[in-house]
Amino acid sequence: MSTKQYGISNHQYPQLRLSARFFRLKTAVAGLRYFAMVSDIPLVLEGGGMRGVFTAGVLDRLMDEGIYFPYVIGVSAGASNGLSYASRQRGRAKFCNIDALSARNYIGLRFLLRQGCIMDYDYLFGDLPKKIYPYDFDAYLKSGEFNFVLTDCLTGKAEYVRKPLTFDAVLSVCRASCSLPYVCPMSKINGVPYLDGGISDAIPVGRALSDGFKKCVVVLTRNKGYVKPSMYNPVAGILYRKYPNLVESLRRAHERYNKSLSYAEYLESEGKAVVIRPQNPLEVDRLERNPARLTRLYDEGYMLCGRAIPKILSL
């Protein structure tokens, strides 16, 4: 596909590639640091759309400190950002969330009209990981366990996908996990329709512990004290009329979220979890496009993770 079709001029496109090469150089330099695999502790990554740039900051700080977990489970944006952590590509998630967004402007109603999706997923799961800033799939394969959370639209329940072993499967599963309700089409895998994993299990702490762990590190994209209100839209009954279990899951999504959040905070109070979250209510929303706001949130994630390092290493 031509650069014009992607909305990037012929002189902008090489600059974006050059910027990506610069980030890959930083990744290589970071790779010279020591590596410390944190044993017997899973890393749980909440989603949140563009709020996930906070998670990108956290993950870059972990990589700068050489800290890696044997098990990662990510939901929606948590999964997409977590993939760059799994591939040891420090700075890649920041590039995709801020630099590529500034150059490509891949969020908007024009994509909803053209593709049926509010974000240009053909770009985000096409040229971006394949050409602009190639994903290091070999490094991903050599890393620890990586799990995605999806919502099965037939059952309305969470489906957990363990580390796909082909690049196309990774992109397909991640796209499904990131398919926001109402503003993205369902993603089909083997004929089964899926939507965003945040509908059914937005903070999969319970899943991580059920896989045999006793403690965990959790990255949230909402500040302490946040309580999720109902996000149910009556249009769901029309839009998803063929999927009654999905409609019911959407109706109760906030209840499951708040229950999982309370569980994570309970584990934190018992010394069984380290929870890294923004300090204050966010100025960044799910579809944020302001690079200054996104950069501030990234920087906050990087800084707060640094403060949490001693707790992580002593967990």
Side-chain angles (χ1 to χ4, degrees):
M1 187 172 287
S2 70
T3 56
K4 183 178 180 181
Q5 288 175 291
Y6 271 102
I8 302 174
S9 68
N10 289 330
H11 72 277
Q12 286 176 315
Y13 199 73
Q15 288 178 358
L16 188 57
R17 288 176 180 269
L18 182 61
S19 179
R21 292 192 191 104
F22 172 72
F23 272 94
R24 289 199 291 274
L25 177 60
K26 291 177 67 176
T27 300
V29 172
L32 297 176
R33 297 175 59 90
Y34 68 92
F35 295 108
M37 182 66 78
V38 181
S39 63
D40 300 325
I41 297 176
L43 177 63
V44 179
L45 305 174
E46 182 189 2
M50 298 309 294
R51 292 193 299 269
V53 75
F54 175 85
T55 303
V58 171
L59 297 177
D60 277 354
R61 184 57 181 264
L62 289 173
M63 285 190 274
D64 283 349
E65 299 293 335
I67 296 175
Y68 293 94
F69 295 81
Y71 175 111
V72 178
I73 183 167
V75 183
S76 192
S80 62
N81 289 316
L83 279 174
S84 292
Y85 175 76
S87 63
R88 311 305 196 240
Q89 289 176 281
R90 190 253 187 248
R92 185 178 182 279
K94 181 183 180 184
F95 177 88
C96 295
N97 282 282
I98 301 177
D99 296 77
L101 176 62
S102 297
R104 176 66 182 87
N105 193 19
Y106 53 68
I107 302 174
L109 289 176
R110 67 184 184 279
F111 301 115
L112 188 62
L113 295 174
R114 293 174 185 173
Q115 302 178 17
C117 185
I118 197 70
M119 294 186 179
D120 188 358
Y121 275 8
D122 290 345
Y123 168 77
L124 292 173
F125 296 99
D127 265 19
L128 184 55
K130 294 179 180 179
K131 298 179 181 179
I132 305 281
Y133 199 140
Y135 185 67
D136 192 339
F137 184 68
D138 289 338
Y140 157 86
L141 288 176
K142 296 174 184 177
S143 65
E145 186 172 346
F146 195 94
N147 300 265
F148 297 83
V149 183
L150 292 66
T151 297
D152 184 327
C153 297
L154 300 177
T155 65
K157 296 181 180 180
E159 183 166 321
Y160 306 95
V161 179
R162 295 185 184 274
K163 198 167 188 172
L165 298 180
T166 69
F167 188 33
D168 286 343
V170 168
L171 294 177
S172 178
V173 171
C174 189
R175 181 170 183 156
S177 182
C178 294
S179 294
L180 300 169
Y182 308 114
V183 293
C184 290
M186 295 177 180
S187 292
K188 287 192 175 183
I189 301 175
N190 297 325
V192 178
Y194 293 96
L195 279 176
D196 195 297
I199 299 169
S200 51
D201 194 357
I203 310 173
V205 173
R207 175 66 180 189
L209 297 190
S210 71
D211 278 341
F213 299 96
K214 297 181 179 179
K215 298 179 180 181
C216 59
V217 173
V218 185
V219 181
L220 303 178
T221 54
R222 289 289 194 177
N223 57 287
K224 189 174 180 62
Y226 173 77
V227 177
K228 192 178 188 70
S230 174
M231 305 296 288
Y232 179 76
N233 190 321
V235 76
I238 301 173
L239 190 61
Y240 304 125
R241 60 187 179 278
K242 295 182 180 180
Y243 304 93
N245 291 326
L246 173 64
V247 172
E248 182 61 21
S249 189
L250 285 165
R251 193 189 308 275
R252 302 189 61 183
H254 67 294
E255 297 174 4
R256 287 189 298 274
Y257 180 96
N258 292 327
K259 184 176 180 179
S260 295
L261 179 60
S262 295
Y263 184 43
E265 292 177 340
Y266 165 75
L267 292 172
E268 182 182 32
S269 69
E270 293 291 308
K272 296 181 179 180
V274 173
V275 179
I276 305 172
R277 55 167 80 80
Q279 290 182 314
N280 302 304
L282 301 188
E283 60 177 356
V284 169
D285 63 31
R286 183 179 292 271
L287 298 175
E288 184 64 60
R289 290 183 287 181
N290 185 302
R293 290 179 180 175
L294 291 168
T295 299
R296 284 195 293 271
L297 187 56
Y298 168 88
D299 290 342
E300 183 180 6
Y302 188 90
M303 179 266 294
L304 292 177
C305 180
R307 292 183 185 177
I309 294 297
K311 292 181 180 179
I312 293 174
L313 295 179
S314 64
L315 191 62

